[in-house]
């Protein structure tokens, strides 16, 4: 029983890791919707378009996608092909899922680190957005951090899996 | 042995850059190196703003970089976008290169990149669906305006600005979300503006330009044989800038020739409006020179030299 | 060409091991690019793609069109759409299945995704059809098939992505989807009729509604219809007159649609903070998944691009000397085969960059090809073994076996094949409306 509480503790940690950023994503999405609405009305009716709306939309997009990515990871929202699931035994499936999580961590960690260094470089180049002159590296660092969050989710998933592994269940 | 360089490009394959500029460069590289070095074009490896990065990281070897797509990174390039450079793009590009060598190069803005050529698109002008004949008509129009100096120009003209990426220009105009667009003459064909913005309004002294560079990965260049490097350095620099500038003149000329057939018009600003614009643009020029001066470049001297070279070369044409 | 083909099978192999498809494509793309250039360059390119793809202005359409559908659903309008279709069709044999198809088409007009259309309508239609004694095979199949219309009848996320990939006008693609979408509805209705005529017990007739009922039901859905006409009409430039001058680009149409749906749901007092939050989160999470696939697919297509596949393919076709129509038929056959095993968006992203240059160089219209691609993608959603719409249904009604759904859906994808032949033969059906723009 003790392992199970650990499991739920790890699971709730993963949940907390995902829910905060997901909330930010939702706010950014709502903001994008309102921004577009105001821009269209302001342009059509008052002939006064917002020059920065496209730029803010682009930034909001990146925030939506990456802030929601940890939650997408957690919910297993990634599209998978489960065609051959029948071919794996319980233990085989366990090993397979462990390897898949591990591969995903590696496949995320390297780009996450690379994105961070691109952010640092962008900072040294003084790159800013065209209209509002917002430094580019804020958003780039944000993307990198979000990717590391996803690595964290996969890591917690591995821990949960081991805690719930067939072996542990036998021991109980 | 033979080396094949990879050119990273974007914009449709029919665009002048892809249909003419790159094939021309490839054949010149082959000729200079007696066939030891050649190149091939790869499209859309990364979006336009990422081009400088993917060349410095060695993803591809050569690319064209629009400086204002990465605002803040190439401050000196904004000088080449200023009003007052109306005229021949070939002359402009040669003057630009000479100014770069004398004033900008030491600021090392193109880190890890070998600059092969500097040029710009032709004179930026207004293309709109309603006919514009005077400068004050532009005030209050909704215009699609790109980044860089063009934004300041739009502001000075009193237009309200819509900022959509270039490939979305056609549908923005088609749906009447914008009344017009600031772009060079060449775009009349490149973005099918003949169909959605039938009237053009140009300023002989120039509204603005957009600074562009052809760049190469420095390590890749260094990996070529000494003989090939020497041969290519004959081509790169002022000579390639001249060639690129002349090509953009050609692109503009083609579009200009197509106007009549499409029932489009071109109006030149009157003397009076040119004088008004000279006053308005003075503000922009002073502002940009002050900005560039902060980066440790003698911007005032550079601008004077740039203008003098351009005026001299332009007059010779 | 060989290395690209190997890469392609590597993607298949990895995804069969249950590695998410975004990662399968990304990993193969990453190592493929590293093989073509070097590891450092490949890593840099990956970093840039991650940063830049998510900031694409055109792609902001995707979450907004998903959000629009969700708000409409939260406003209770999906139920009323169903009701409106029922009062007109319910009394016929198989009438409830026909109601489902029609309501799916109606919901497609405000929802950009096929999966969302199937998921939404299954919650509304499935209980009704069960109550009326419809066979599970027909009920589930009509929802799964009707749901596919979501990506053909505008708005459509898939058409947006096709437009962005190929530089084709999204407005024209949307308009071009209308007639093939209506043909799709008609053919699906015929498929229902075929099913209930061969097996009458699968779909009993219901009661005939009075004209009073019909008018009431129509009055309930006018807001949905109005929303569709504002969004699509704005794209078409229908409201560009004094003093409103209301015109939208596709991105703006999506934003206006989402905002409009939000206001409608708000006006009907169907929203509270919790349900708004829920709709926003669901949209963001779905979008994040889609973008992960987009980034992975872009990495893969960069690799086959670097490996010279598009050029090799064109050279191959030219050397064989096949006629354009033969090439088109081969491409469609490839799509249908891939569609059996591939998830729809990844299929599109993998293939369009390869086939599009070839197809246009052979003289086919980009808008027409876009619609053809979407129709074959629709087919892929309901063909075994990987038919995502079928899986959506399976999720909603776990007690029905996947095999039953696939069996029931057979007449529907055969109807799709007929529609495909029709559109191949008469390209005017696709191009008539956009050419009027
Ligand atoms: Na739709
Ligand atoms: Na399928």
């Amino acid at each position: 029983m003790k392992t199970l509480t650990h499991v739920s503790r790890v699971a709730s940690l993963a949940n907390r890791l995902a829910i905060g950023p997901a909330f930010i994503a939702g706010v950014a999405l709502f903001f994008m919707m309102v921004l577009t609405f105001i821009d269209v009305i302001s342009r059509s009716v008052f002939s006064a378009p917002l020059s920065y709306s496209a730029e803010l939309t682009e930034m909001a997009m990146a925030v939506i996608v990456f802030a929601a990515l940890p939650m997408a990871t957690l919910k297993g929202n990634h599209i998978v092909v489960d065609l051959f699931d029948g071919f794996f035994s319980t233990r085989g499936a366990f090993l397979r899922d462990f390897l898949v999580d591990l591969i995903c961590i590696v496949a995320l960690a390297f780009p996450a680190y690379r994105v961070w260094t691109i952010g640092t470089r962008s900072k040294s180049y003084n790159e800013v957005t065209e209209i509002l002159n917002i430094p580019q590296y804020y958003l780039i660092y944000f993307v990198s951090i979000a990717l590391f969050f996803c690595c964290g989710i996969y890591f917690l998933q591995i821990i949960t899996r081991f805690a719930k592994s067939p072996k542990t269940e036998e021991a109980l | 042995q033979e080396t094949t360089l990879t050119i990273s490009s974007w914009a449709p394959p029919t665009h002048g850059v892809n249909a003419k500029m790159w094939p021309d460069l490839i054949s010149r590289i082959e000729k200079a190196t007696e066939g030891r070095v050649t190149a091939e074009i790869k499209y859309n490896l990364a979006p336009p703003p990422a081009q400088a990065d993917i060349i410095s990281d060695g993803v591809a070897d050569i690319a064209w970089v629009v400086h204002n797509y990465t605002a803040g990174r190439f401050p000196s390039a904004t000088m080449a976008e200023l009003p007052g450079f109306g005229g021949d793009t070939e002359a402009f590009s040669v003057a630009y290169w000479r100014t770069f060598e004398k004033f900008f190069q030491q600021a090392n803005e193109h880190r890890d990149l070998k600059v092969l050529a500097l040029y710009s698109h032709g004179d930026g002008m207004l293309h709109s669906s309603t006919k514009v004949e005077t400068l004050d008509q532009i005030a209050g129009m909704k215009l699609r305006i790109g980044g860089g100096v063009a934004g300041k120009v739009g502001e000075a003209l009193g237009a309200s600005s819509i900022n959509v990426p270039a490939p979305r220009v056609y549908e923005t105009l088609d749906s009447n979300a914008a009344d017009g667009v600031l772009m060079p003459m060449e775009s009349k064909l490149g973005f099918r503006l003949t169909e959605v913005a039938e009237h053009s309004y140009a300023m002989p002294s120039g509204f603005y330009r957009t600074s562009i560079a052809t760049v190469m990965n420095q390590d890749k260049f260094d990996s070529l044989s000494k003989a090939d490097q020497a041969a290519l350095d004959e081509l790169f620099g002022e000579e390639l800038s001249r060639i690129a500038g002349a090509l953009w003149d050609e692109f503009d000329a083609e579009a200009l020739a197509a106007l009549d057939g499409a029932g489009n018009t071109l109006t030149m600003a009157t003397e009076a409006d040119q004088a008004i614009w000279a006053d308005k643009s003075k503000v922009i020029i002073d502002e940009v020179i002050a900005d560039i001066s902060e980066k440790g470049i003698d911007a005032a001297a550079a601008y004077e030299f740039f203008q003098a070279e351009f005026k001299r070369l332009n007059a010779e044409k | 060409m060989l290395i690209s083909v190997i890469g392609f099978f590597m993607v298949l192999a990895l995804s069969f091991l249950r590695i998410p498809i975004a990662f399968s494509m990304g990993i193969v793309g990453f190592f493929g690019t590293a093989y073509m250039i070097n590891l450092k360059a490949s890593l840099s390119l990956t970093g840039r793609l991650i940063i830049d793809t998510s900031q694409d202005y055109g792609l902001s359409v995707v979450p907004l069109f998903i959000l629009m559908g969700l708000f409409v659903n939260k406003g209770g309008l999906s139920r009323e759409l169903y009701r409106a279709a029922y009062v007109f069709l319910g009394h016929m044999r198989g009438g409830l299945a026909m109601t489902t198809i029609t309501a799916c088409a109606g919901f497609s007009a405000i929802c950009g995704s096929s999966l969302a259309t199937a998921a939404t309508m299954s919650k509304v239609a499935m209980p009704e059809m069960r109550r009326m004694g419809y066979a599970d095979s027909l009920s589930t199949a009509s929802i799964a098939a009707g749901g596919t219309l979501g990506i053909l009848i505008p708005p459509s996320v898939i058409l947006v992505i096709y437009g962005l990939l190929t530089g084709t006008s999204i407005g024209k693609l949307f308009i071009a989807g209308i007639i093939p979408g209506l043909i799709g509805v008609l053919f699906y209705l015929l498929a229902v009729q075929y099913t209930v005529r061969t097996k009458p017990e699968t779909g009993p007739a219901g009661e005939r509604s009075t004209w009073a009922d019909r008018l009431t039901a129509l009055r309930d859905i006018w807001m949905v219809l109005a929303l569709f006409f504002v969004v699509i009409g704005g794209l078409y430039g229908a409201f560009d007159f004094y003093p409103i001058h209301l015109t939208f680009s596709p991105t703006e149409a999506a934003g206006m649609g989402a905002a409009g749906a939000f206001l409608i749901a708000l006006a009907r007092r169907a929203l509270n903070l919790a349900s708004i939050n829920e709709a926003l989160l669901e949209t963001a999470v779905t979008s994040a998944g889609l973008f992960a696939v987009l980034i992975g697919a872009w990495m893969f297509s960069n690799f086959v691009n670097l490996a010279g596949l598009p050029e090799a393919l064109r050279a191959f076709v030219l050397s064989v000397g096949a006629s354009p129509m033969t090439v088109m038929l081969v491409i469609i056959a490839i799509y249908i085969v891939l569609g059996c095993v591939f998830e729809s968006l990844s299929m599109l992203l993998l293939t369009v960059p390869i086939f599009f240059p070839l197809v246009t160089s052979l003289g086919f219209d980009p808008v027409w090809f876009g619609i053809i691609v979407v129709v074959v993608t629709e087919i892929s959603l309901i063909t075994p073994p990987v038919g995502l719409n079928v899986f959506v249904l399976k999720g909603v009604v776990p007690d029905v076996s996947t095999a039953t759904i696939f069996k029931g859906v057979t007449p529907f994808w055969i109807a799709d094949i007929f529609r495909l032949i029709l559109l191949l033969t008469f390209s005017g059906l696709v191009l008539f409306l956009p050419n009027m723009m």
Side-chain angles (χ1 to χ4, degrees):
Chain A
M1 280 318 281
K2 211 172 168 201
T3 11
L4 277 179
T5 51
H6 282 310
V7 169
S8 59
R9 202 169 299 157
V10 171
S12 87
L13 181 61
N15 210 31
R16 252 180 292 157
L17 212 55
I19 197 83
F23 183 73
I24 296 175
V27 171
L29 176 59
F30 195 78
F31 168 76
M32 191 165 91
M33 182 184 89
V34 172
L35 179 71
T36 313
F37 184 78
I38 293 176
D39 184 30
V40 172
I41 298 296
S42 163
R43 187 193 64 219
S44 304
V45 184
F46 305 106
S47 208
L50 312 177
S51 63
Y52 47 81
S53 72
E55 193 169 294
L56 283 182
T57 300
E58 285 172 2
M59 295 172 74
M61 273 303 292
V63 171
I64 293 165
V65 169
F66 285 99
L69 202 57
M71 185 57 99
T73 307
L74 186 68
K75 283 190 168 177
N77 209 293
H78 290 299
I79 295 153
V80 295
V81 176
D82 50 6
L83 198 57
F84 293 136
D85 281 9
F87 294 112
F88 291 94
S89 64
T90 319
R91 190 148 299 189
F94 174 77
L95 195 66
R96 177 201 64 201
D97 292 343
F98 168 67
L99 282 175
V100 167
D101 285 348
L102 207 59
I103 289 172
C104 290
I105 288 186
V106 176
L108 280 169
F110 278 99
Y113 176 70
R114 183 64 203 160
V115 168
W116 186 270
T117 59
I118 289 175
T120 309
R121 185 168 70 179
S122 172
K123 189 177 165 193
S124 81
Y125 287 153
N126 302 314
E127 287 180 350
V128 293
T129 61
E130 269 180 36
I131 314 283
L132 295 171
N133 289 329
I134 302 167
Q136 296 272 11
Y137 71 91
Y138 291 162
L139 200 64
I140 302 180
Y141 280 164
F142 178 83
V143 169
S144 171
I145 293 168
L147 291 174
F148 278 122
F149 263 60
C150 294
C151 289
I153 301 275
Y154 275 114
F155 181 70
L156 293 175
Q157 237 167 46
I158 290 180
I159 295 183
T160 321
R161 236 190 272 290
F162 265 97
K164 280 199 292 199
S165 76
K167 238 190 206 151
T168 334
E169 270 162 36
E170 276 162 36
L172 288 171
Chain B
Q1 88 291 357
E2 195 183 272
T3 311
T4 304
L5 303 173
T6 308
I7 296 173
S8 157
S9 196
W10 45 279
T14 48
H15 189 280
V17 166
N18 297 317
K20 287 207 181 131
M21 193 179 93
W22 294 133
D24 175 75
L25 177 64
I26 293 170
S27 71
R28 283 175 198 274
I29 288 176
E30 286 171 349
K31 201 161 146 227
T33 60
E34 289 156 338
R36 288 182 301 271
V37 182
T38 181
E40 58 178 358
I41 308 174
K42 292 289 180 194
Y43 288 105
N44 302 327
L45 286 174
Q51 296 294 321
D53 271 6
I54 68 169
I55 299 305
S56 66
D57 290 337
V59 174
D61 305 317
I62 295 175
W64 60 304
V65 171
V66 176
H67 289 115
N68 72 39
Y69 285 177
T70 45
R73 179 163 171 179
F74 305 103
S76 67
T78 44
M79 188 181 287
E81 308 197 328
L82 285 173
F85 286 112
D88 192 74
T89 307
E90 182 180 350
F92 170 86
S93 304
V94 172
Y96 188 5
W97 181 267
R98 290 179 185 170
T99 313
F100 170 76
E101 274 198 316
K102 208 166 147 87
F103 294 94
F104 302 155
Q105 203 164 28
Q106 43 92 14
N108 198 22
E109 289 165 9
H110 295 80
R111 267 163 275 178
D112 310 320
L113 298 170
K114 182 177 172 63
V115 184
L116 307 188
L118 289 167
Y119 45 100
S120 91
H121 66 46
D123 275 342
M125 57 182 75
L126 170 68
H127 308 285
S128 55
S129 43
T130 54
K131 193 163 183 174
V132 170
E133 287 172 313
T134 61
L135 202 59
D136 56 9
Q137 275 179 280
I138 302 175
M141 286 178 82
K142 291 173 283 181
L143 303 181
R144 184 274 176 186
I145 300 173
V149 171
K152 296 184 200 283
V153 168
E155 217 170 284
L157 292 170
S160 43
S161 138
I162 294 173
N163 188 257
V164 295
R168 306 248 78 89
V169 163
Y170 182 90
E171 65 188 34
T172 306
L173 288 169
D174 192 30
S175 69
N176 285 335
D179 305 319
V181 55
L182 292 185
M183 278 188 154
M185 180 53 79
E186 159 268 331
S187 313
K188 290 287 277 195
L189 290 183
F191 294 103
R192 295 189 291 147
L193 298 185
T194 45
E195 302 165 24
V196 289
E198 296 89 342
H199 306 286
S200 304
Y201 176 78
M203 179 61 66
S205 59
F207 275 129
Y208 77 100
R209 286 173 178 271
T210 296
S211 173
I212 311 173
T214 299
V215 298
M216 182 169 179
N217 179 284
Q218 184 68 53
D219 295 341
K220 191 69 181 188
F221 183 78
D222 295 342
S223 76
L224 300 174
S225 75
K226 284 281 172 281
D228 288 339
Q229 287 186 27
L232 287 173
D233 268 333
E234 294 280 303
L235 169 65
F236 297 156
E238 186 175 310
E239 179 62 9
L240 194 61
S241 302
R242 179 198 313 281
I243 294 163
L247 278 171
W248 281 88
D249 280 331
E250 225 177 89
F251 304 159
D252 278 356
E254 273 172 39
L256 192 62
L259 287 192
D260 275 344
N264 284 199
T265 67
L266 170 64
T267 309
M268 299 305 268
T270 60
E271 297 276 338
D273 277 340
Q274 290 184 47
I276 297 172
W277 177 240
D279 286 343
K280 284 187 193 278
S281 55
K282 183 81 175 57
V283 182
I284 302 176
I285 294 168
D286 290 345
E287 190 186 330
V288 166
I289 288 179
D291 281 352
I292 301 176
S293 298
E294 283 173 22
K295 309 291 173 188
I297 293 168
D298 187 354
Y303 183 68
E304 203 178 316
F305 175 81
F306 200 160
Q307 273 289 352
E309 283 292 298
F310 170 67
K311 293 256 154 70
R312 195 167 55 75
L313 291 162
N314 194 41
E316 282 169 17
K317 290 302 284 188
Chain C
M1 194 141 156
L2 178 68
I3 175 150
S4 308
V5 173
I6 293 175
F8 205 87
F9 279 97
M10 297 274 283
V11 173
L12 267 184
L14 288 181
S15 52
F16 284 169
L17 286 174
R18 235 171 181 282
I19 292 178
I21 191 100
F23 287 97
S24 304
M25 292 191 292
I27 289 167
V28 174
F30 174 79
F31 285 106
T33 306
Y35 174 80
M36 298 306 300
I37 315 172
N38 60 54
L39 210 58
K40 179 174 168 269
S42 185
L43 194 56
S44 291
L45 188 57
T46 307
R48 282 284 10 159
L49 287 182
I50 289 173
I51 297 165
D52 295 322
T53 309
S54 59
Q55 288 189 68
D56 191 315
Y57 175 72
L59 283 172
S60 58
V61 185
V62 171
L64 289 172
F65 274 141
I66 297 175
L67 186 62
M68 177 174 162
L70 279 177
F71 276 143
V72 164
N73 189 24
K74 295 257 182 251
L77 288 160
S78 49
R79 198 166 299 280
E80 287 169 12
L81 266 175
Y82 195 77
R83 174 83 202 147
Y86 176 78
V87 290
F88 285 96
L89 298 166
H91 62 281
M92 294 160 98
R93 199 193 290 165
L96 220 44
M98 293 165 73
T99 300
T100 302
I101 299 285
T102 314
C104 278
F107 195 71
S108 297
I110 29 132
C111 176
S113 142
S114 285
L115 298 189
T117 304
T120 306
M121 291 318 295
S122 64
K123 280 170 207 144
V124 181
M126 202 59 208
E128 291 294 315
M129 288 194 278
R130 284 209 154 156
R131 197 169 53 78
M132 293 281 285
Y134 272 55
D136 282 341
S137 60
L138 180 60
S139 320
T140 51
S142 57
I143 301 169
T148 67
L149 294 168
I151 53 170
L152 185 57
I153 296 176
S156 157
V157 167
I158 294 284
L159 281 176
V160 168
I161 290 174
Y162 174 89
L164 293 174
L165 280 177
T166 63
T168 312
S169 155
I170 292 165
K172 287 198 171 177
L173 286 166
F174 275 13
I175 304 297
I178 294 177
I179 294 179
L182 293 178
I183 298 175
V185 174
L186 186 71
F187 279 23
Y188 284 159
L189 294 181
L190 292 175
V192 171
Q193 283 306 313
Y194 168 83
T195 308
V196 293
R197 279 180 206 269
T198 44
K199 286 184 210 135
E201 73 284 0
T202 53
E207 274 171 44
R208 185 180 286 274
S209 306
T210 64
W211 276 101
D213 286 341
R214 289 178 181 176
L215 287 179
T216 318
L218 278 186
R219 211 184 51 213
D220 287 340
I221 61 158
W222 72 269
M223 279 203 264
V224 179
L225 297 177
L227 191 59
F228 174 75
F229 280 112
V230 168
V231 169
I232 301 303
L235 267 178
Y236 208 96
F239 312 116
D240 186 20
F241 46 73
Y242 185 81
I244 5 175
H245 296 295
L246 198 60
T247 55
F248 326 134
S249 70
T251 313
E252 294 168 347
M256 293 301 279
F262 175 71
L263 292 177
I264 289 175
L266 212 58
R268 299 171 64 113
R269 300 176 188 285
L271 286 181
N272 54 37
L273 264 182
S275 63
I276 295 172
N277 189 35
E278 202 184 333
L280 290 171
L281 281 196
E282 192 177 331
T283 305
V285 168
T286 310
S287 309
L290 286 176
F291 272 77
V293 174
L294 260 169
I295 292 167
W298 201 352
M299 289 169 68
F300 182 78
S301 74
N302 261 346
F303 152 55
V304 295
N305 185 3
L306 283 167
L309 181 64
E311 295 89 346
L313 206 63
R314 195 162 340 165
F316 175 74
V317 168
L318 290 178
S319 71
V320 177
S323 77
M325 208 46 182
T326 317
V327 176
M328 182 54 65
L329 290 176
V330 170
I331 288 176
I332 288 172
I334 293 174
Y335 269 109
I336 289 177
V337 171
L338 285 179
C340 288
V341 289
F342 251 98
E343 181 274 322
S344 52
L345 179 62
S346 4
M347 175 172 86
L348 182 90
L349 292 169
L350 277 175
T351 53
V352 166
I354 297 170
F355 290 143
F356 183 77
L358 177 64
V359 164
T360 45
S361 73
L362 291 174
F364 289 104
D365 187 285
V367 172
W368 176 81
F369 183 61
I371 299 300
I372 296 294
V373 166
V374 168
V375 172
V376 289
T377 306
E378 284 186 283
I379 298 177
S380 80
L381 289 169
I382 50 173
T383 48
V386 180
L388 285 192
N389 267 21
V390 170
F391 295 168
V392 167
L393 258 294
K394 175 77 184 149
V396 176
V397 277
D399 54 319
V400 181
S401 80
T402 316
T404 309
I405 310 179
F406 276 127
K407 213 166 103 196
V409 100
T410 308
F412 292 92
W413 65 256
I414 291 174
D416 277 342
I417 300 281
F418 279 115
R419 172 163 52 132
L420 193 56
I421 294 170
L422 199 64
L423 299 179
L424 279 171
T425 325
F426 305 103
S427 58
L429 290 172
V430 176
L431 295 174
F432 173 68
L433 285 182
N435 284 347
M436 280 182 23
M437 268 178 97

